[in-house]
Amino acid sequence: MVVSILVLVVMGTDAFSQTSIPSLSINVGQTDDPSSFVPALKILALLTVLAVAPAILLMTTSFTRILIVLSFTRQALGTQTMPPNQVVVGLALFLTFFTMSPVFSKINKEAITPYLDKKITQEQAIDNVINPMKTFMLSQTREGDLGVFAKISKIDKPQSAEDVPLSVVLPSFMVSELKTAFQIGFLIYIPFLIIDMVISSTLMAMGMLMLPPTIISLPFKLILFILVDGWSLIVEQVVKSFNL
């Protein structure tokens, strides 16, 4: 058996050594034709976009607010890692696609489809992608946050929302999303905090000081969350919190 395996290995090695493998060479040289750089620049730009795609998803969509609210809900319940991070992130991602579907549909209609049909140029397609996203971000951004970053960047007072540069809209939108998400998270914490306080006071009155209150309060919080259909209620309210 061992001899047969050795014979097969030797035969395979000989066959592999006789197989011709195509060679690959990369040359770096000079050229007088600028158009020859265009395909390489397009590939470089595509790879750059793919590398920063997660950051773009976080910065320009509703993903941040939804993920923070769902994480606050899990912490308020006190279930530690239930539901798991993969479930929370997946739910936040699908809710992001749901809330952003009008914007994505507009981008597909005004930018992607006309560009693929060669009805508009690449510059026009990029503008048609940026404008709906910018409009969405401005609709969710507080004027105070927008004014703070406009003051820091020392730009002239914009006459309309379209005049606000994207470099000001992006950080303003992120700060507004964080503020809104923490406000919703605070409201979610209140009923669960009341349950913890009641359970803790009851245990202290009964003299059961060595029993952790979280062990007793967790079933009551789960029962309350189930009776009010908590996940549907929170998902509905967080989706309605966006000015669509």
Side-chain angles (χ1 to χ4, degrees), residues 52-71:
V52 300
I56 295 175
L57 177 65
L58 291 175
M59 290 188 298
T60 61
T61 64
S62 56
F63 181 79
T64 301
R65 184 190 304 185
I66 296 173
L67 181 61
I68 292 176
V69 170
L70 294 179
S71 299

Side-chain angles (χ1 to χ4, degrees), residues 3 11 24 34 39 69 81 94 103 168 180 197 204 216 224:
V3 176
M11 291 177 62
L24 175 65
V69 170
T81 58
F94 285 118
V103 180
V168 174
T180 303
M197 293 176 62
M204 291 182 63
I216 306 300
L224 174 64

Side-chain angles (χ1 to χ4, degrees), residues 65-121:
R65 184 190 304 185
I66 296 173
L67 181 61
I68 292 176
V69 170
L70 294 179
S71 299
F72 269 123
T73 303
R74 183 177 64 179
Q75 292 179 6
L77 282 171
T79 55
Q80 303 300 327
T81 58
M82 294 301 294
N85 290 330
Q86 294 86 347
V87 176
V88 175
V89 174
L91 179 58
L93 188 61
F94 285 118
L95 290 177
T96 300
F97 289 144
F98 177 79
T99 56
M100 298 294 296
S101 57
V103 180
F104 292 158
S105 299
K106 187 175 182 180
I107 291 174
N108 181 60
K109 182 180 178 180
E110 298 181 358
I112 298 177
T113 301
Y115 178 71
L116 294 178
D117 294 338
K118 299 182 179 179
K119 294 181 179 179
I120 59 176
T121 62

Side-chain angles (χ1 to χ4, degrees), residues 182-218:
F182 273 72
Q183 289 175 350
I184 298 174
F186 172 76
L187 295 177
I188 292 174
Y189 253 98
I190 292 178
F192 300 108
L193 181 61
I194 293 175
I195 293 177
D196 287 334
M197 293 176 62
V198 171
I199 296 297
S200 179
S201 301
T202 304
L203 292 177
M204 291 182 63
M206 297 175 62
M208 304 175 65
L209 302 178
M210 300 302 294
L211 182 63
T214 55
I215 297 179
I216 306 300
S217 63
L218 179 58

Side-chain angles (χ1 to χ4, degrees), residues 2-202:
V2 177
V3 176
S4 301
I5 295 175
L6 291 175
V7 171
L8 291 174
V9 171
V10 173
M11 291 177 62
T13 305
D14 293 338
F16 179 77
S17 61
Q18 295 175 1
T19 303
S20 60
I21 301 176
S23 60
L24 175 65
S25 61
I26 301 176
N27 297 325
V28 179
Q30 297 180 350
T31 180
D32 296 330
D33 186 12
S35 61
S36 62
F37 288 100
V38 174
L41 292 177
K42 288 183 178 180
I43 294 175
L44 180 61
L46 178 61
L47 293 176
T48 303
V49 171
L50 292 177
V52 300
I56 295 175
L57 177 65
L58 291 175
M59 290 188 298
T60 61
T61 64
S62 56
F63 181 79
T64 301
R65 184 190 304 185
I66 296 173
L67 181 61
I68 292 176
V69 170
L70 294 179
S71 299
F72 269 123
T73 303
R74 183 177 64 179
Q75 292 179 6
L77 282 171
T79 55
Q80 303 300 327
T81 58
M82 294 301 294
N85 290 330
Q86 294 86 347
V87 176
V88 175
V89 174
L91 179 58
L93 188 61
F94 285 118
L95 290 177
T96 300
F97 289 144
F98 177 79
T99 56
M100 298 294 296
S101 57
V103 180
F104 292 158
S105 299
K106 187 175 182 180
I107 291 174
N108 181 60
K109 182 180 178 180
E110 298 181 358
I112 298 177
T113 301
Y115 178 71
L116 294 178
D117 294 338
K118 299 182 179 179
K119 294 181 179 179
I120 59 176
T121 62
Q122 184 176 0
E123 290 76 13
Q124 292 175 333
I126 293 175
D127 291 337
N128 291 343
V129 171
I130 293 177
N131 290 334
M133 297 299 298
K134 185 178 178 181
T135 302
F136 169 79
M137 287 187 288
L138 286 173
S139 65
Q140 313 300 324
T141 305
R142 292 178 173 84
E143 293 183 2
D145 297 327
L146 202 61
V148 169
F149 285 96
K151 182 179 180 181
I152 294 174
S153 60
K154 297 180 181 180
I155 61 174
D156 296 333
K157 185 177 180 180
Q159 301 298 325
S160 61
E162 291 75 13
D163 298 332
V164 182
L166 194 62
S167 59
V168 174
V169 175
L170 281 173
S172 304
F173 172 73
M174 286 294 295
V175 172
S176 294
E177 287 294 284
L178 290 174
K179 186 181 296 184
T180 303
F182 273 72
Q183 289 175 350
I184 298 174
F186 172 76
L187 295 177
I188 292 174
Y189 253 98
I190 292 178
F192 300 108
L193 181 61
I194 293 175
I195 293 177
D196 287 334
M197 293 176 62
V198 171
I199 296 297
S200 179
S201 301
T202 304

